[in-house]
Amino acid sequence: MWEQVSELLLLVLGSALVSNVVLSQFLGLCPFLGVSRKVETAAGMGTAVIFVITLASGVAGAVYRFILVPLGIEYLQTIVFILVIAALVQFVEMFLKRYMKGLYEALGVYLPLITTNCAVLGVALTNVQKEYGIFTGIVNGFATALGFTVAIIILAGIREKMEHNDIPEVLQGMPIVLLTAGLMAIAFCGFSGLL
Amino acid sequence: MNKKESAGERLLNGIIVENPTFVLTLGMCPTLAVTTSAVNGLGMGLTTMAVLALSNLIISLLRNIIPDKVRIPAFIVIIASFVTIMQLLLEGFLPSLYESLGIYIPLIVVNCIILGRAEAYASKRPALLSLFDGIGMGLGFSLALTCIGAVRELLGAGEIFGVRIMPQSFVPISIFVMAPGAFFVLAALTAGMNAVKKAGEKRGRDMSRIRTGCDLDCSHCGQSAGCTKPEKEG
């Protein structure tokens, strides 16, 4: 029992901090750079990503285990996963709109943006590649998304402060954000001593 | 597009005029992730090119059959099929490249360039032009990835394509082949594009074609057509 719990904890630390999804695997860079101007929107995006990735890794894991493997068509995983994820996001959006108005108003705008987030597909594929079970896959998905949220909120915080700074003309806009992300990536390299 | 379009013009357009990486800043995830060496960059670029050219061809041939409402899912299925084919081919014939590119091969599916070209070009033009548009864009992407990979490999390991370039006394700056280096190289690249754009504007030329990444979010990629309401930030 304890061994399993500590194994899962190690997995969470590893996926969230050590091999951070944006800063060391470069998945989900578009929303990371595009929606990080304000802490508030960054937090909203992060919450939506946690929600969708956790759900998607569960559903994709189940589809793989109970449909693709019995039929012997594992090689179709890329096609099936992308369709499952797109359908899932649509479905979640409709469900929230109908039954959970408050949550929909908080997350609604971010949901369509997430369909095309490569982190969602990336996590589903990683779970299969590393042969995680469905539960471990969900934990891995949650931890990965948590890492994304931590990174995007930190970046948004730095960008808010940076707005009042005197930045050289050529570096204004994306270059300075990329430099910041690079420095954050160096900081996150420090976590590799944790495991 | 009022210029005359031909196969040759399409090739040139993809490689130089509308280079997907340097001019349009599309498909940044794979650009950063796989460019740890020139070989990896070239491999990724050529794989993407094959998918792009073939999916452009098929989408163009089917453009009158696919109903407008379901075109995005249809495009995605076509693209995903070609990605799966390429993945199996690489696994069979180039296992070492398959190993080093890893998860980024299936992720070609979500590369903005491919769906963007399908939506913006192939779904409206004849097959041959679309094929050459795909090849041109793919070559432009390969060129960009190879260049970025070469710079990172040169600074991070002192080699290009595995051949030692720097003198023995050169100490490799290994951060450039690690994750942070990718951000720094891309930052330098976008800064360079900013400078070119500013210089052009000073001389009164229209430089709006060059996107310097302020809109690096997905809102300009073809996939956002499926997004109902891209976020507007104040």
Side-chain angles (χ1 to χ4, degrees):
Chain A
M1 180 64 200
W2 271 116
E3 230 163 70
Q4 281 169 324
V5 171
S6 69
E7 224 167 75
L8 280 181
L9 269 179
L10 277 182
L11 179 71
V12 169
L13 273 182
S15 299
L17 296 177
V18 180
S19 52
N20 186 282
V21 63
V22 239
L23 295 173
S24 85
Q25 297 185 63
F26 307 108
L27 299 178
L29 263 183
C30 299
F32 179 67
L33 300 173
V35 200
S36 58
R37 211 162 292 166
K38 289 204 183 95
V39 172
E40 209 174 296
T41 45
M45 186 70 191
T47 323
V49 165
I50 292 182
F51 189 68
V52 170
I53 289 192
T54 313
L55 208 59
S57 38
V59 174
V63 166
Y64 184 77
R65 174 89 198 283
F66 297 116
I67 299 179
L68 297 188
V69 172
L71 292 176
I73 46 170
E74 292 96 329
Y75 59 88
L76 286 181
Q77 46 168 292
T78 314
I79 304 178
V80 172
F81 283 178
I82 186 116
L83 291 178
V84 165
I85 290 167
L88 182 77
V89 175
Q90 284 285 325
F91 180 75
V92 167
E93 200 187 350
M94 282 175 350
F95 182 83
L96 291 184
K97 204 173 183 176
R98 179 85 177 75
Y99 296 106
M100 300 165 94
K101 268 271 175 316
L103 200 58
Y104 178 75
E105 264 151 37
L107 304 184
V109 271
Y110 306 104
L111 285 176
L113 290 173
I114 295 176
T115 325
T116 56
N117 185 338
C118 41
V120 187
L121 184 63
V123 171
L125 290 168
T126 313
N127 284 344
V128 168
Q129 221 168 45
K130 294 199 174 160
E131 293 172 0
Y132 290 149
I134 296 178
F135 180 69
T136 323
I138 294 175
V139 173
N140 182 41
F142 175 76
T144 308
L146 197 68
F148 175 84
T149 310
V150 169
I152 197 174
I153 290 179
I154 295 177
L155 182 68
I158 299 175
R159 280 181 77 173
E160 272 188 3
K161 295 267 175 229
M162 231 161 36
E163 234 159 57
H164 309 289
N165 289 1
D166 187 20
I167 299 164
E169 203 183 10
V170 284
L171 288 181
Q172 277 169 13
M174 215 24 75
I176 193 76
V177 179
L178 286 165
L179 282 179
T180 315
L183 292 175
M184 279 172 63
I186 293 182
F188 271 69
C189 279
F191 285 120
S192 56
L194 267 180
L195 292 187
Chain B
M1 295 211 192
N2 35 25
K3 256 188 300 171
K4 177 126 182 53
E5 290 181 354
S6 67
E9 185 268 334
R10 280 290 99 193
L11 284 182
L12 205 65
N13 179 62
I15 299 172
I16 296 167
V17 184
E18 288 193 335
N19 185 295
T21 305
F22 294 144
V23 181
L24 301 181
T25 41
L26 286 175
M28 281 302 149
C29 303
T31 309
L32 290 180
V34 300
T35 50
T36 48
S37 69
V39 180
N40 280 355
L42 187 63
M44 184 67 182
L46 292 180
T47 314
T48 311
M49 180 182 87
V51 175
L52 187 56
L54 291 172
S55 64
N56 257 7
L57 178 68
I58 298 295
I59 287 168
S60 173
L61 287 173
L62 294 177
R63 70 185 184 282
N64 295 325
I65 302 173
I66 300 175
D68 203 41
K69 268 192 181 160
V70 293
R71 64 181 197 289
I72 302 283
F75 293 167
I76 290 179
V77 172
I78 293 169
I79 295 166
S81 313
F82 281 115
V83 169
T84 307
I85 293 171
M86 287 310 294
Q87 189 181 359
L88 294 174
L89 284 176
L90 282 183
E91 194 176 4
F93 295 104
L94 288 168
S96 61
L97 187 66
Y98 178 80
E99 282 287 308
S100 60
L101 296 183
I103 193 169
Y104 297 101
I105 299 174
L107 285 177
I108 294 175
V109 180
V110 281
N111 189 328
C112 292
I113 298 172
I114 300 180
L115 203 69
R117 287 326 280 175
E119 172 77 1
Y121 197 86
S123 61
K124 299 183 187 89
R125 306 291 154 95
L128 193 70
L129 281 181
S130 300
L131 175 68
F132 277 96
D133 181 73
I135 296 177
M137 280 284 160
L139 282 178
F141 188 58
S142 310
L143 185 76
L145 286 196
T146 314
C147 290
I148 298 174
V151 168
R152 286 182 66 187
E153 198 182 348
L154 182 67
L155 292 172
E159 300 170 340
I160 291 182
F161 284 112
V163 180
R164 181 125 197 124
I165 305 281
M166 292 297 214
Q168 281 303 325
S169 56
F170 172 76
V171 181
I173 317 163
S174 54
I175 194 118
F176 275 100
V177 288
M178 285 155 56
F183 286 109
F184 293 142
V185 172
L186 190 67
L189 188 71
T190 43
M193 277 166 19
N194 254 346
V196 169
K197 192 175 175 177
K198 291 254 157 63
E201 274 166 359
K202 259 180 207 148
R203 270 183 252 129
R205 265 188 274 159
D206 176 29
M207 302 301 273
S208 58
R209 202 182 69 235
I210 299 184
R211 295 189 233 244
T212 42
C214 280
D215 47 357
L216 206 61
D217 60 330
C218 292
S219 59
H220 64 268
C221 93
Q223 278 162 308
S224 68
C227 302
T228 44
K229 193 166 139 201
E231 192 199 13
K232 297 266 184 294
E233 279 183 289

